[in-house]
Amino acid sequence: MAVVLPLAACGGDDDDASSSAPANTDGEGLYAANCASCHGADLRGTDKGPSHLSIVYEPNHHPDDAFRSAIANGVPAHHWDFGNMPPVEGLSADEVDAIIAYVREVQEREGFEEYPP
């Protein structure tokens, strides 16, 4: 899975300015680029991956560290029949945290769906 991140120009004359650019912390954009193809742009899943609005993904069942581990290491299929999830490469810890914060924000706003669907 390719990671597409927007590039921003830095002002000033310092040639090293781009090396100190902060990590992309736009959780919605990072989710769209790295997760939505399987988990849906609306977090409701696709034929490739489950909905992140399922009660299975509420924080007491799948805490933030479970998301971190799945992103970093992949995860064998255990709740669903979509197959194993591969690791998502190329994301910094801050970017992963931004994705998780976005998912939690949408979960809070939309609520959870019953399992099984």
Side-chain angles (χ1 to χ4, degrees):
M1 180 180 302
V3 176
V4 179
L5 299 175
L7 299 176
C10 297
D13 295 326
D14 185 1
D15 288 340
D16 293 327
S18 63
S19 66
S20 62
N24 182 350
T25 57
D26 171 28
E28 184 175 7
L30 288 164
Y31 185 92
N34 295 282
C35 311
S37 65
C38 294
H39 295 286
D42 61 359
L43 281 72
R44 296 190 187 280
T46 70
D47 62 349
K48 298 178 190 173
S51 170
H52 278 142
L53 298 181
S54 170
I55 193 69
V56 168
Y57 295 107
E58 64 91 19
N60 289 325
H61 187 76
H62 278 90
D64 294 356
D65 281 341
F67 278 86
R68 285 184 191 96
S69 179
I71 292 167
N73 305 309
V75 65
H78 57 285
H79 289 291
W80 314 96
D81 293 327
F82 295 103
N84 298 335
M85 178 184 151
V88 180
E89 298 178 1
L91 294 171
S92 71
D94 287 342
E95 290 169 331
V96 169
D97 286 346
I99 290 170
I100 295 167
Y102 171 70
V103 169
R104 297 301 188 202
E105 175 186 313
V106 175
Q107 289 173 334
E108 187 173 318
R109 182 176 67 239
E110 299 291 327
F112 290 99
E113 303 163 348
E114 292 185 30
Y115 176 85

